[in-house]
Amino acid sequence: MSKTQRAFTLKPLDNGVAVLEINVPNDAQNTLKAEFADDFNSAFAAIEKAKPKALVLYSTKAGSFMAGADIKLFESAKTAKEVSDLSTQCQQTFQKLEDLDIPVVAAIKGACLGGGMELALACSYRIAASSSDTVLGLPEVMLGLLPAGGGTQRMPRQVGIATALDLMLTGRQLKAKPAKKIGLVDEVVEAVAVYDRAVARALELADTKDESGLDLASYFSKDGLTKAALEQNSLGRKVVFEQARKQTAKKTHGLYPAPPAIIDAVEAGFEEGIEQGYATEARLFGELAMSPQSKQLRGIFHATNTLKKETFVADGVKARDIKKVGVLGAGLMGAGIALTTINKARLPVRLKDRDDNGLAHGVKYVSEFYSKRAKKGAMSAADASAEQGRISYTADYSGFKGLDLVVEAVFEDLGLKHKMLKDVEANGNKHTVFASNTSSIPITDIASAAERPENVIGLHYFSPVEKMPLLEIITTDKTAPEVTAGCVAFGKAQGKTVIVVKDGPGFYTTRILAPYLNEATRLLTEGVDVKAVDKALVRFGFPVGPITLLDEVGVDVGTKVGPVLEKAFGERMASPDAAGLMIENDYLGRKSGRGFYIYEGVAKGEKPVNTALYELMNVTSEKDADDEEIVSRCAWLMINEAAYCLQDGIISDPMHGDIGAIFGLGFPPFRGGPFRYMDSLGLTNSVRTLERLAEQFGERFTPAPLLIEMAKKKQRFYP
């Protein structure tokens, strides 16, 4: 970085206040980098020379106060100590800011995350913009790390131990108003007023020498007094830390080392003194950065950043413009797709269902979402109303002529989807893209009824759409590249991580999920306890067990793809007969009150096993199976099928397969996805594991030829 391209520039004002402008050159967002040490020192030297009465930190880069630290900072480090030293250096730099004997006001507009949040916490006072792009938090746990610039020490002292632990252990990010409510920021103003208000407030603080920023009304509230009573004595803090450890162990099953490390660092600062807290933070940061879990999680982070730039088409292809969107079906998926489009992509949506009763669900779904957001202070009532104004409802095809994209989210019935396609072609225009949200029917089969098959594509969303991060786009041999590029851009605008796969039975995610679920059900037919199967896979790292997942999706829905996959791939996709028997007896899962578990007539939080299933499945004896057998049989069928998908060209890159499995199906992130997981074990060991399973349990475990070939050549999926 040249001397003329500094990230920090001091600009003294005539009123005695100085503004330290932040703008990292050549980057879309401000991020902390190793080379900033000299920049910071120069800035502090300039501050000492200028002798301002107050200082304001303000970013001149749109949408970014400071979006954390560049993790490349430590990725080349060879030892934990090297990484710890970087943490100590960052702590010392921020301490210089805190030690200035003048008020320091952070003017926060845009992302204020990780190292950026720690920078703001070292200031005397924080003013945040109410704009939707302003978010605050310490999300390092998502990378298997902890805040390493003093965050584990300053955050609890700013908002209280319990609140700080909640934010750091979940990586949760807050909008400005909720941040003000917990005391993380001191004021919230309109975005256009942030700079002026920060300068004015800095001047006021300098003149009154009141730098505390303490919200006395909040402190003396019932909650504030309770928090103080609990956290300001050693015995009370012990209770808080014990509860945090208990809840963390329950959620992580001991699989992620970062959460307990965060608790240890916070506790050290309160029980052994803040200097020891900083030292513990730095030491644990170094250890975590070297852990296999963090390395895998950082691999995912890099992969998602790579995918943000990926178009999935040849250079020079001009993406089809998508500015107006239609959605067919106002059920759970359709309403979710419409909501995500108006909320994230900020595009107008025409939501259609066959009658007013059908549309009522969509209206309610969207309305409830915005009511909750406004109630929580995440957005104003005016903004909520404006966003809802982007959606219109219809029971016919009026208004479809001008639509650029129509997404169908109707029942999994090929005849119905053909009718939807023909209706859209008749009522849209020659450029209208028809996208199916099917999870099982090949897009080629749907496109067979099209007059313009080049406009047909698959957009496979995951439920609930507004929360699940993945969008799997499926292309046929006839899908136009500009349509693919347009849909990729649209998915990204919706805030989705996008992968593009080739058409085929089950695509990618459904195809690798099916054998996993089949094997879980097969274990039950052998007499293994329902809860044992679920618990084993959760302990392996899946967010929910496969049996619970089947109940949530619906046994009838989950079985629709079975015959299609079995016809295409034979015995390795064969599913047990249990599902058909369950459907006959209306054991469909949560929606019918009974599935593998019982939901109706039981106390909240309880979920007893539906023992009638064992008689239905003709299971006469119980079988004990340990976690290793359950996990091996279920997970390795998913992993092996991922290799088949790469071999068959359904996915073009192992990274796409890892992201699809993690973001779409909940494959344990800290294991890196099916392909990174096999790399971590070694492909020779992976092949041996599958061969052993094939000998014990059947040919469906036979390793994919690609795996055998790569193992022989001692290759890896990732260099």
Side-chain angles (χ1 to χ4, degrees):
M1 192 181 298
S2 71
K3 296 291 182 185
T4 57
Q5 287 185 302
R6 292 197 177 279
F8 301 91
T9 306
L10 189 72
K11 292 194 173 179
L13 305 179
D14 292 340
N15 60 6
V17 175
V19 178
L20 187 63
E21 292 185 350
I22 308 169
N23 196 324
V24 177
N26 307 317
D27 280 4
Q29 296 233 46
N30 291 327
T31 53
L32 293 169
K33 298 177 185 286
E35 59 266 33
F36 286 177
D38 290 342
D39 251 13
F40 269 118
N41 289 334
S42 296
F44 283 120
I47 292 167
E48 287 175 11
K49 185 178 179 181
K51 292 185 170 51
K53 60 166 68 175
L55 182 68
V56 170
L57 268 60
Y58 178 74
S59 168
T60 57
K61 191 180 291 290
S64 173
F65 174 75
M66 181 73 73
D70 183 351
I71 62 175
K72 292 175 185 173
L73 266 172
F74 55 83
E75 295 214 307
S76 59
K78 298 289 190 292
T79 66
K81 186 180 184 305
E82 286 179 58
V83 183
S84 295
D85 288 346
L86 286 169
S87 170
T88 301
Q89 182 184 358
C90 188
Q91 291 170 352
Q92 290 170 347
T93 300
F94 289 167
Q95 190 62 47
K96 280 186 184 180
L97 190 66
E98 187 176 288
D99 290 343
L100 289 173
D101 60 356
I102 56 173
V104 182
V105 177
I108 301 166
K109 188 165 61 171
C112 179
L113 301 169
M117 186 74 253
E118 291 173 302
L119 175 65
L121 283 166
C123 298
S124 323
Y125 199 86
R126 285 156 293 282
I127 297 175
S130 60
S131 51
S132 61
D133 63 348
T134 298
V135 288
L136 305 97
L138 294 173
E140 288 86 349
V141 72
M142 309 303 287
L143 298 177
L145 300 168
L146 52 65
T152 64
Q153 306 306 305
R154 289 192 179 93
M155 176 76 90
R157 287 164 175 80
Q158 182 65 37
V159 302
I161 296 170
T163 302
L165 285 174
D166 174 58
L167 289 173
M168 289 187 284
L169 293 174
T170 61
R172 196 156 54 90
Q173 299 174 19
L174 300 176
K175 299 290 187 184
K177 287 182 181 177
K180 165 74 167 63
K181 192 173 181 180
I182 65 167
L184 187 58
V185 299
D186 302 286
E187 280 185 65
V188 176
V189 298
E190 293 293 324
V192 293
V194 167
Y195 178 87
D196 290 341
R197 180 57 190 146
V199 171
R201 186 59 176 147
L203 200 58
E204 290 170 15
L205 290 170
D207 290 342
T208 61
K209 298 297 180 186
D210 173 19
E211 302 172 28
S212 70
L214 180 64
D215 182 350
L216 294 178
S218 172
Y219 185 82
F220 286 111
S221 70
K222 184 179 177 182
D223 288 345
L225 289 169
T226 302
K227 184 168 69 177
L230 191 62
E231 297 182 359
Q232 291 184 7
N233 67 84
S234 185
L235 194 61
R237 288 194 298 269
K238 186 179 179 183
V239 172
V240 173
F241 290 124
E242 281 180 357
Q243 280 296 106
R245 285 194 172 91
K246 185 178 176 182
Q247 290 299 318
T248 296
K250 185 177 178 182
K251 288 179 180 177
T252 67
H253 304 280
L255 298 170
Y256 293 84
I262 289 169
I263 299 169
D264 289 347
V266 175
E267 187 172 34
F270 279 90
E271 304 311 321
E272 301 173 48
I274 195 164
E275 290 305 317
Q276 186 56 44
Y278 285 130
T280 302
E281 176 183 276
R283 174 178 60 80
L284 291 174
F285 181 66
E287 292 174 8
L288 289 172
M290 293 292 137
S291 70
Q293 292 92 337
S294 179
K295 287 177 181 177
Q296 295 286 30
L297 292 170
R298 292 187 329 251
I300 295 166
F301 174 78
H302 289 311
T304 54
N305 278 343
T306 299
L307 286 171
K308 286 176 184 175
K309 302 167 189 171
E310 180 64 77
T311 63
F312 296 94
V313 295
D315 291 343
V317 172
K318 187 179 185 300
R320 184 76 62 84
D321 277 342
I322 295 176
K323 295 179 179 176
K324 294 180 180 178
V325 179
V327 178
L328 304 179
L332 183 66
M333 293 301 294
I337 294 165
L339 172 59
T340 305
T341 304
I342 64 171
N343 177 238
K344 297 287 188 183
R346 301 184 175 278
L347 295 175
V349 171
R350 189 83 165 140
L351 180 59
K352 180 190 179 303
D353 211 303
R354 57 189 174 189
D355 53 35
D356 289 345
N357 286 337
L359 287 170
H361 177 270
V363 173
K364 183 181 178 186
Y365 194 92
V366 171
S367 176
E368 286 181 352
F369 172 84
Y370 284 105
S371 294
K372 287 177 185 175
R373 297 270 291 167
K375 190 174 181 181
K376 287 179 180 178
M379 67 191 311
S380 68
D383 286 344
S385 178
E387 283 196 13
Q388 287 184 81
R390 294 192 184 115
I391 191 168
S392 60
Y393 302 89
T394 181
D396 56 34
Y397 283 97
S398 59
F400 272 61
K401 183 64 73 176
L403 299 182
D404 303 306
L405 168 70
V406 176
V407 185
E408 68 81 5
V410 299
F411 297 116
E412 291 287 85
D413 178 274
L414 183 59
L416 179 59
K417 292 181 188 293
H418 279 167
K419 183 179 185 306
M420 298 292 103
L421 171 56
K422 290 174 181 176
D423 286 348
V424 168
E425 287 191 325
N427 292 280
N429 61 71
K430 66 179 182 179
H431 297 297
T432 302
V433 176
F434 181 86
S436 175
N437 180 52
T438 179
S439 61
S440 59
I441 301 172
I443 305 302
T444 302
D445 291 356
I446 295 171
S448 67
E451 287 182 21
R452 295 181 285 274
E454 68 276 9
N455 287 341
V456 181
I457 198 166
L459 296 185
H460 180 201
Y461 292 89
F462 297 77
S463 183
V465 180
E466 62 273 21
K467 292 181 181 178
M468 292 294 283
L470 186 73
L471 172 59
E472 181 182 30
I473 296 181
I474 305 102
T475 61
T476 74
D477 292 340
K478 294 181 179 179
T479 304
E482 59 269 24
V483 168
T484 302
C487 287
V488 168
F490 171 66
K492 290 177 183 178
Q494 289 180 309
K496 300 299 181 186
T497 296
V498 176
I499 61 170
V500 174
V501 307
K502 283 191 176 179
D503 191 27
F507 322 131
Y508 173 68
T509 52
T510 303
R511 179 171 161 181
I512 70 169
L513 179 64
Y516 168 80
L517 297 179
N518 285 345
E519 198 65 19
T521 310
R522 190 173 285 110
L523 282 160
L524 304 188
T525 66
E526 294 172 10
V528 179
D529 179 66
V530 169
K531 288 189 175 179
V533 173
D534 268 350
K535 286 178 179 178
L537 273 305
V538 168
R539 283 192 284 259
F540 180 70
F542 280 91
V544 297
I547 307 302
T548 294
L549 181 60
L550 274 168
D551 265 4
E552 293 296 333
V553 171
V555 175
D556 54 336
V557 175
T559 58
K560 282 186 180 294
V561 74
V564 176
L565 293 175
E566 189 171 351
K567 181 181 177 183
F569 304 112
E571 193 268 342
R572 78 172 192 266
M573 288 288 186
S575 57
D577 296 332
L581 295 168
M582 292 178 71
I583 293 168
E584 286 175 22
N585 286 269
D586 199 34
Y587 294 155
L588 304 182
R590 184 181 288 278
K591 64 184 176 184
S592 67
R594 287 182 180 235
F596 293 98
Y597 293 98
I598 297 172
Y599 302 91
E600 60 185 4
V602 297
K604 189 177 180 181
E606 290 185 13
K607 197 172 68 173
V609 173
N610 182 6
T611 52
L613 284 175
Y614 292 111
E615 185 177 343
L616 201 64
M617 295 176 185
N618 200 26
V619 176
T620 55
S621 60
E622 294 182 8
K623 175 185 173 181
D624 286 329
D626 59 19
D627 277 15
E628 184 179 356
E629 179 185 334
I630 294 168
V631 168
S632 293
R633 288 177 61 177
C634 295
W636 275 102
L637 281 180
M638 175 185 280
I639 293 165
N640 195 36
E641 199 59 41
Y644 271 111
C645 286
L646 184 62
Q647 175 183 298
D648 295 347
I650 298 298
I651 52 173
S652 59
D653 190 311
M655 182 260 280
H656 301 166
D658 283 339
I659 292 298
I662 292 167
F663 286 10
L665 306 178
F667 191 94
F670 73 96
R671 299 188 190 276
F675 296 100
R676 282 195 181 274
Y677 182 59
M678 284 189 280
D679 271 357
S680 72
L681 299 174
L683 296 196
T684 300
N685 289 332
S686 299
V687 167
R688 284 175 184 161
T689 298
L690 284 162
E691 288 173 341
R692 175 180 57 79
L693 289 167
E695 285 177 18
Q696 284 183 272
F697 303 108
E699 289 185 5
R700 62 188 178 278
F701 289 97
T702 301
L706 175 68
L707 281 182
I708 296 171
E709 182 185 339
M710 290 181 68
K712 283 179 182 175
K713 294 178 181 177
K714 300 191 182 309
Q715 292 177 321
R716 296 168 55 85
F717 290 108
Y718 292 85

